[in-house]
Amino acid sequence: MFSPLRPIYPVAGIREIENTLIPSARPPLMERAGRAAAQDAVRLIMDRPGPILIACGPGNNGGDGFVMARQLAQAGREVIVAFGSTADRLPAEAAKAHADYLAAGGTVVSDLPAAPANGWALVVDALFGIGLGRPIEGRYASWIQTLNAQPCPRMALDVPSGLDADTGQPLGATFRATHTTTFIALKPGLLTNDGPDYCGEISVQRIDIDAPAWLPARGLAIAPSLFRSHLQPRPRNTHKGIYGDAGILGGSPGMVGAALLAGRAALWLGTGRVYVGLLEERGPAVDFAHPELMLRQAEALPERLSALAVGPGLGTQPAAAALLVAALERTIPLLLDADALNLIGTDPKLKAALKARTTPTLLTPHPAEAARMLGTDTASVQANRLHAALEIARSCRALVVLKGCGSIIATPDERWFVNGSGHPGMASAGMGDVLTGLIVGLLAQGWPAESALIAGVHLHGAAADRLAREGIGPVGLTASETIDAARGVFNGWLIEAQRDPRHPGGAAQRPGR
């Protein structure tokens, strides 16, 4: 479970690493990439007979395809290469790969051939790589349409052609892979926005390059390894006061359930005491499903809290804005979600108060809320999710998670993380409220703000993944169902951490072992 951390680089970072290494790389990077892709292809279609179709483009991605074709042919596979350009228009290294393929007995066809009677064993997209910055049109768009229609494994080299490697935005016609072999390191566009729908299973081939040794990574893929040091066992001599007091502020008329969901999530993740402050004057005095929650009127939340979340069902009425002003003045970790973010997005004074805070602040916008905070529209946020998250973190001096497919966590010092847990079944009412409760529960228990945000986001998705494996969802999954699953996943992490000899207090370091 505690696998090595995986760095993520935007295209500019990958280019910087490549340009540093290209003059001295032996064997050349293209040779390494094509060989690694061939090895991935063999594993992918080990039991599938028939020919392999590789569509090569007019650049270095096509060069990777030629190397791959040569390697596969030498391994005894039947390979057909479609190449829609001419050798004299290829970059130097790709031209050499083309010549080496021909010298080894390979041939090319100038257009995609008809599929054989029994179909292709594999089709490979080696058309356009990470440098593509415009929509694919004309002949290559037609090729992509044909390749996408093949009922066999479909493999992309580095990034599916037509997908922006930085943003995950499709640029016109886009190859829809079942498997993507990407080189050196992950790219953000593979992991967020539409990227996961086009990439399929992702294999990272480092091609003997330790990328962080050449360029420290600003981005990382989220995994439990990032917060392993905080997965500590509880001492036997303990009491609830050790595990903090979390406050939830929200629950305006018609939205009480949002605040209750957040409170329940914090409670079930081990918070010592959870107070829920409701704006609904006629709200319940007790949560009969979970009477452990302490329900109050919004203005009656205790002064002494370990952490506070504001937003679930808050509303945007003047009373809500006044409560938000008071919350921003508190010197405790503060999480803002939902209508708290909408209020800040429309009030410069609230945004200035947010920016002036000196204690940790966490923001959890979905794309529409992020757009309001940035003074733009949802489409602009989604067009470059990483940029949007970083801009909010910088301008608000806060930790931010931009929710959505491949949720992005950004820090004010321009580090960022992409989450891969979760599934489409989480697109249902109340999921954001549960996430808020999980995060504020960790904050209340003393977790550092960054670790609490990373762990809460990953845990929420992992809980939904566990339920899907058990046949609960993805379709029809409800937010409340993820609360119990999150507790189970979190306790599983605790157990695994204690078994890990590398973990502080793990099996190899405990007395008597």
Side-chain angles (χ1 to χ4, degrees), residues 320-343:
L323 289 165
L324 177 56
V325 169
L328 289 168
E329 294 174 350
R330 292 207 183 202
T331 56
I332 56 174
L334 179 66
L335 187 156
L336 302 179
D337 183 33
D339 280 332
L341 301 174
N342 291 328
L343 286 166

Side-chain angles (χ1 to χ4, degrees), residues 99-392:
D100 290 346
Y101 168 67
L102 296 180
T107 60
V108 301
V109 295
S110 60
D111 205 351
L112 290 183
N118 294 324
W120 304 105
L122 174 72
V123 296
V124 179
D125 160 31
L127 293 172
F128 300 97
I130 62 175
L132 184 70
R134 56 181 174 81
I136 298 174
E137 300 172 340
R139 183 184 200 184
Y140 289 119
S142 177
W143 279 25
I144 287 173
Q145 184 177 11
T146 300
L147 293 171
N148 284 344
Q150 302 309 303
C152 65
R154 298 181 301 276
M155 181 179 180
L157 301 192
D158 215 9
V159 63
S161 291
L163 186 74
D164 189 300
D166 280 345
T167 68
Q169 283 276 97
L171 301 172
T174 304
F175 183 71
R176 195 174 288 273
T178 61
H179 180 99
T180 296
T181 294
T182 198
F183 306 120
I184 300 179
L186 289 165
K187 291 84 183 173
L190 301 177
L191 305 175
T192 193
N193 206 2
D194 290 312
D197 285 324
Y198 284 93
C199 294
E201 178 187 346
I202 298 172
S203 168
V204 179
Q205 292 291 341
R206 294 172 54 190
I207 56 175
D208 297 324
I209 295 172
D210 181 8
W214 295 93
L215 181 67
R218 305 292 292 179
L220 291 170
I222 294 178
S225 303
L226 278 168
F227 47 85
R228 178 176 62 184
S229 63
H230 302 294
L231 294 169
Q232 298 289 345
R234 293 187 168 189
R236 294 174 66 87
N237 184 17
T238 191
H239 57 85
K240 65 178 180 290
I242 293 175
Y243 304 109
D245 295 342
I248 311 291
L249 182 57
S252 61
M255 296 293 290
V256 169
L260 294 181
L261 282 171
R264 292 171 182 178
L267 186 68
W268 281 42
L269 206 57
T271 308
R273 289 176 289 241
V274 180
Y275 299 87
V276 180
L278 300 174
L279 277 81
E280 169 58 89
E281 294 180 359
R282 294 174 294 178
V286 62
D287 177 0
F288 287 105
H290 294 286
E292 301 89 351
L293 289 176
M294 290 175 277
L295 308 188
R296 307 285 176 86
Q297 288 296 302
E299 63 276 6
L301 278 178
E303 282 298 318
R304 295 185 64 179
L305 292 172
S306 307
L308 174 63
V310 182
L314 182 70
T316 57
Q317 299 303 312
L323 289 165
L324 177 56
V325 169
L328 289 168
E329 294 174 350
R330 292 207 183 202
T331 56
I332 56 174
L334 179 66
L335 187 156
L336 302 179
D337 183 33
D339 280 332
L341 301 174
N342 291 328
L343 286 166
I344 288 170
T346 57
D347 189 332
K349 291 183 179 179
L350 283 174
K351 190 168 185 179
L354 167 63
K355 189 174 181 178
R357 281 178 52 82
T358 57
T359 45
T361 310
L362 296 80
L363 313 179
T364 61
H366 58 51
E369 292 159 352
R372 295 182 192 108
M373 297 190 73
L374 293 170
T376 184
D377 54 45
T378 302
S380 298
V381 169
Q382 290 294 82
N384 195 331
R385 288 170 51 78
L386 177 57
H387 173 78
L390 287 167
E391 178 60 20
I392 295 172

